[in-house]
Amino acid sequence: MINIAICDDDNDMIQAIKTAISHYSTSHAIEFEVHSFKCGEKLLESKLNFDLVFLDIEMGGMDGLKTAQLFRQIDRRARIVYVTNHSEFALQSYAVHPFDFVVKPFEEVRISKVLDDLTRYLSENAEKDTVIQLKGEDGPLLLSLRNIYVFEYTGNRRITVYTKSEQYQIKGSLSDIFSLINSESFVSPHKSFIVNMEHIDKLNNFTLYTTNGIEVPVAQKKLKDFHNEFSRFIKNYIRQG
């Protein structure tokens, strides 16, 4: 199931995009779950996770660009497609790294092209969803790498692995972990921690916070390197998006 949001203050436009998605779903045998919102504030209040968001730039109240900036603080994974009456807004929209943009009025083939790109993107990234085997205390433990938020070394060759809502105890050292994960998404901001940068929410002085509320210290001597690594990661993420 692919989750899509449509955020537009024009109900006719919402219906037009829904119809195009429905036709694509039927012709390609792909299931979509579509949620619609009449303003940016409602989209932000939903706190739902989406694979794709069709976002009108010129809405009453909070406009689409401001909505996108705030939405990115909630969900970094969703692909944003800006929808606009004026092609010149497309250039402005790139400041918030879109997946694509659609100029009104549009034909269904334009939405089909967006959905083609989305399904291809999701398929390619699903293939990159590496599963690693760790040494659990009760035997081998298999975890999806992208679902891991934090590794914390607790001493005596014991590591706590944090996912969104679970914790696991494994054996080894953080150097063992780094040699195993082989991923540019992970960084060590402190000698006792490895963090998945995909799940960093914010940085406050010498503490970073993951999107599920885990607090991780950033060592003063590692602060500059951490900022450089995180900046590199964000730039690569924007370029891929």
Side-chain angles (χ1 to χ4, degrees):
M1 179 75 72
I2 296 177
N3 293 315
I4 295 179
I6 305 170
C7 185
D8 198 305
D9 59 1
D10 183 342
N11 190 60
D12 289 340
M13 187 56 56
I14 290 177
Q15 292 306 316
I17 297 174
K18 279 186 172 181
T19 298
I21 294 172
S22 178
H23 290 166
Y24 187 93
S25 174
T26 300
S27 62
H28 290 75
I30 298 174
E31 288 189 73
F32 296 92
E33 183 171 337
V34 181
H35 299 258
S36 58
F37 305 91
K38 296 296 291 291
C39 64
E41 290 86 348
K42 291 297 184 182
L43 172 64
L44 297 173
E45 288 173 6
S46 74
K47 298 188 182 299
L48 299 174
N49 293 318
F50 298 105
D51 298 299
L52 186 74
V53 178
F54 287 99
L55 183 57
D56 184 21
I57 291 181
E58 304 147 88
M59 293 185 291
M62 185 184 299
D63 67 30
L65 296 180
K66 180 60 176 178
T67 299
Q69 291 171 352
L70 296 175
F71 182 75
R72 272 285 171 253
Q73 298 175 20
I74 301 170
D75 188 341
R76 291 193 179 94
R77 285 188 172 276
R79 307 294 90 187
I80 294 177
V81 176
Y82 295 98
V83 184
T84 176
N85 285 306
H86 305 287
S87 58
E88 60 265 26
F89 280 115
L91 182 60
Q92 296 181 36
S93 75
Y94 275 91
V96 204
H97 45 279
F99 185 68
D100 205 340
F101 67 92
V102 172
V103 178
K104 305 175 187 178
F106 58 82
E107 297 184 359
E108 279 197 13
V109 65
R110 184 68 187 88
I111 303 300
S112 294
K113 172 63 167 58
V114 172
L115 297 177
D116 280 341
D117 291 342
L118 173 68
T119 53
R120 182 168 58 253
Y121 172 86
L122 294 176
S123 175
E124 290 172 353
N125 280 269
E127 294 173 358
K128 298 176 184 177
D129 190 7
T130 305
V131 174
I132 59 172
Q133 179 173 306
L134 302 169
K135 297 178 181 178
E137 294 191 329
D138 298 319
L141 176 66
L142 298 176
L143 290 177
S144 167
L145 198 57
R146 67 169 43 170
N147 290 336
I148 295 173
Y149 283 55
V150 176
F151 294 95
E152 179 185 5
Y153 185 73
T154 55
N156 195 29
R157 291 187 61 79
R158 292 294 185 274
I159 296 171
T160 301
V161 185
Y162 298 88
T163 63
K164 184 175 183 178
S165 57
E166 302 289 340
Q167 298 180 23
Y168 303 92
Q169 303 300 317
I170 64 171
K171 303 174 184 177
S173 66
L174 292 188
S175 59
D176 294 336
I177 296 299
F178 260 127
S179 64
L180 176 65
I181 59 181
N182 188 29
S183 171
E184 294 184 354
S185 295
F186 288 83
V187 65
S188 177
H190 184 281
K191 66 179 181 180
S192 298
F193 292 87
I194 297 175
V195 178
N196 187 342
M197 289 183 280
E198 290 191 26
H199 301 302
I200 292 177
D201 182 35
K202 60 183 177 180
L203 175 67
N204 183 11
N205 295 324
F206 293 100
T207 303
L208 67 83
Y209 300 84
T210 64
T211 53
N212 65 336
I214 301 172
E215 297 183 18
V216 177
V218 180
Q220 184 171 2
K221 65 180 180 179
K222 289 193 171 190
L223 185 63
K224 182 178 180 180
D225 287 342
F226 167 73
H227 275 294
N228 290 338
E229 281 294 300
F230 192 48
S231 294
R232 172 198 57 76
F233 171 80
I234 292 297
K235 288 178 181 176
N236 287 341
Y237 181 87
I238 291 173
R239 186 160 56 243
Q240 292 169 7

